[in-house]
Amino acid sequence: MKIAILKERRPHETRVAATPETVKKLKALGAEVTIEAGAGIAAAYTDQAYAEAGATIVPDAASAMAAGDIVFKIGRPMSGDEGVDELGLLRQGQTLMAPLGALNNKELVQALAAKGVTAFALELIPRITRAQSMDILSSQANLAGYKAVLTAANTFGRIFPQMMTPGGTLAPSRAFIMGVGVAGLQAIATARRLGAIVTATDVRPATKEQVQSLGGKFVAVEDEEFKAAETAGGYAKQMSPEYQARQAALVAEHIKMQDIVVTTALIPGRKAPVLVTEDMVKTMKPGSVIVDMAVEQGGNCPLSEFGKTVEKYGVKIVGPANLPGELATDASALFSRNLLNFITPMVDKETKALRIDTNDEVVKGTLVTQGGQIVHPSLTQS
């Protein structure tokens, strides 16, 4: 079993798919690990550290790809028109393990199938207990929620906590977290630690208690539709237009009083829902800050711009390009452990080779191409 790790080349990407710690553990599984020179530099992992952990360092992406029958990546492979043709470097029979955005990038999936690559889309890891340690979305969202609040604090012109001084008392800031998944919960906890008055909203009823347990106040239209607004996989359902209108009216009134708004709402395979409209932004206080964590999928606020901070109607709107990448060392450590935990059950204990059991629930949930075919049910249904 030969594993290749490439340097990530997409804009704003600083993470790496293996660390010296996980290289040692992959070696213990019986793997040979080849790493492109400089792959971990942006995340503070040196070539020397990788070499000391037992990896072979090679000078470029082509050499790394040629040396591996399994490829680990943080980002989906780039095509020639995006820069380095990573897709072209892949060969028939190789196995790719990476977040592919498979539901949104069907042409990529088709290309991987055409090349005969066995591809696992790590963003599709099922939400089951056994797979929690493999869940890249959760590990990265946790860090992103934390960083989103720090970004808001750095952009905001006031402090978060109440502060009593000889010159007078400064009132605490008000932070509103929209979407209470992993990122939202971490954002709530971080904003509370910084001393803000925190409110939060979500369409899933189970989140109300979670918000309250972190010291936040829950804001939502709690009708019958709300009580049934969660999928078996733990994701938010698409709500009816009527519910969305009632929720938007409630949010519109609440948002007028907020200093910080962090939006985190995503629906797998779809454009991000609009939560903060332009009309809502117009009602916010001058100097307020919105951090739109969903900007890469169209944004929860239509005024946000990917990778930029813009000011509209006196409100600063941040569209961060890669929040986990701003915490590259820790983000890489968590991601690489997720990958290690993902591949470990597939390694045959006797032969040390990769053995893909298509009856396994985790494999079925993530395997998108095999044997020249697209095999994931979500991608084969017409």
Side-chain angles (χ1 to χ4, degrees), residues 76 98-110 112 120-125 137 235 266-271 297 364-369 374-381:
R76 65 187 186 277
L100 301 176
L103 299 180
N104 297 323
N105 295 287
K106 294 182 180 179
E107 288 184 4
L108 170 62
V109 176
Q110 290 168 350
L112 291 168
F120 290 89
L122 300 181
E123 77 279 1
L124 299 179
I125 286 173
L137 293 183
Y235 292 102
L266 291 170
I267 301 173
R270 299 187 186 179
K271 187 177 184 294
Q297 284 186 221
K364 284 194 293 185
T366 54
L367 185 64
V368 292
T369 65
I374 297 173
V375 297
H376 197 279
S378 296
L379 297 167
T380 55
Q381 296 167 356

Side-chain angles (χ1 to χ4, degrees), residues 174-232:
R174 295 180 177 273
F176 183 36
I177 313 303
M178 304 185 74
V180 188
V182 174
L185 288 169
Q186 186 57 248
I188 292 166
T190 303
R192 284 284 296 155
R193 284 195 293 266
L194 290 176
I197 296 171
V198 181
T199 54
T201 189
D202 197 289
V203 297
R204 295 168 299 151
T207 60
K208 180 177 181 178
E209 186 177 339
Q210 295 170 342
V211 170
Q212 293 172 334
S213 72
L214 292 171
K217 180 181 178 182
F218 192 69
V219 177
V221 175
E222 299 184 47
D223 61 8
E224 291 304 312
E225 184 175 357
F226 171 80
K227 293 175 184 177
E230 188 168 345
T231 69

Side-chain angles (χ1 to χ4, degrees), residues 8 10 18 31 38 47 49 61 72 136 160 203 205 218 230 244-245 313 336 350-351 374 382:
E8 301 294 330
R10 287 192 177 277
D47 290 348
F72 285 177
I136 61 158
F160 271 44
V203 297
F218 192 69
E230 188 168 345
Q244 290 180 36
Y313 309 109
S336 61
E350 294 183 3
T351 65
I374 297 173
S382 57

Side-chain angles (χ1 to χ4, degrees), residues 32-306:
E32 296 177 23
V33 182
T34 301
I35 297 181
E36 181 184 355
I41 294 300
Y45 298 111
T46 65
D47 290 348
Q48 181 179 348
Y50 284 120
E52 289 173 354
T56 300
I57 311 299
V58 295
D60 52 37
S63 301
M65 198 76 89
D69 47 39
I70 301 168
V71 179
F72 285 177
K73 279 186 72 6
I74 290 276
R76 65 187 186 277
M78 296 173 70
S79 59
D81 57 3
E82 293 177 299
V84 173
D85 188 5
E86 295 172 333
L87 195 57
L89 294 175
L90 285 162
R91 65 181 184 274
Q92 183 175 356
Q94 275 186 316
T95 298
L96 173 65
M97 298 180 179
L100 301 176
L103 299 180
N104 297 323
N105 295 287
K106 294 182 180 179
E107 288 184 4
L108 170 62
V109 176
Q110 290 168 350
L112 291 168
K115 289 186 71 69
V117 172
T118 298
F120 290 89
L122 300 181
E123 77 279 1
L124 299 179
I125 286 173
R127 294 287 177 89
I128 57 175
T129 301
R130 180 166 62 89
Q132 286 181 348
S133 66
M134 313 171 190
D135 191 346
I136 61 158
L137 293 183
S138 291
S139 76
Q140 303 304 291
N142 209 340
L143 293 172
Y146 165 82
K147 187 64 177 179
V149 173
L150 297 189
T151 299
N154 194 47
T155 307
F156 191 42
R158 291 177 44 213
I159 62 170
F160 271 44
Q162 177 175 296
M163 189 176 291
M164 297 179 182
T165 77
T169 299
L170 297 173
S173 298
R174 295 180 177 273
F176 183 36
I177 313 303
M178 304 185 74
V180 188
V182 174
L185 288 169
Q186 186 57 248
I188 292 166
T190 303
R192 284 284 296 155
R193 284 195 293 266
L194 290 176
I197 296 171
V198 181
T199 54
T201 189
D202 197 289
V203 297
R204 295 168 299 151
T207 60
K208 180 177 181 178
E209 186 177 339
Q210 295 170 342
V211 170
Q212 293 172 334
S213 72
L214 292 171
K217 180 181 178 182
F218 192 69
V219 177
V221 175
E222 299 184 47
D223 61 8
E224 291 304 312
E225 184 175 357
F226 171 80
K227 293 175 184 177
E230 188 168 345
T231 69
Y235 292 102
K237 286 184 180 178
Q238 182 74 38
M239 305 299 281
S240 70
E242 293 78 16
Y243 181 90
Q244 290 180 36
R246 293 194 298 274
Q247 176 73 359
L250 178 65
V251 167
E253 283 303 308
H254 185 70
I255 214 166
K256 294 176 184 178
M257 302 177 289
Q258 304 308 306
D259 300 300
I260 304 293
V261 176
V262 177
T263 69
T264 74
L266 291 170
I267 301 173
R270 299 187 186 179
K271 187 177 184 294
V274 173
L275 303 182
V276 183
T277 66
E278 184 170 356
D279 286 340
M280 291 180 190
V281 176
K282 290 178 182 178
T283 70
M284 293 179 70
K285 295 184 287 187
S288 301
V289 174
I290 298 170
V291 179
D292 188 347
M293 293 180 63
V295 66
E296 191 171 3
Q297 284 186 221
N300 296 142
C301 177
L303 301 179
S304 62
E305 297 182 28
F306 180 76

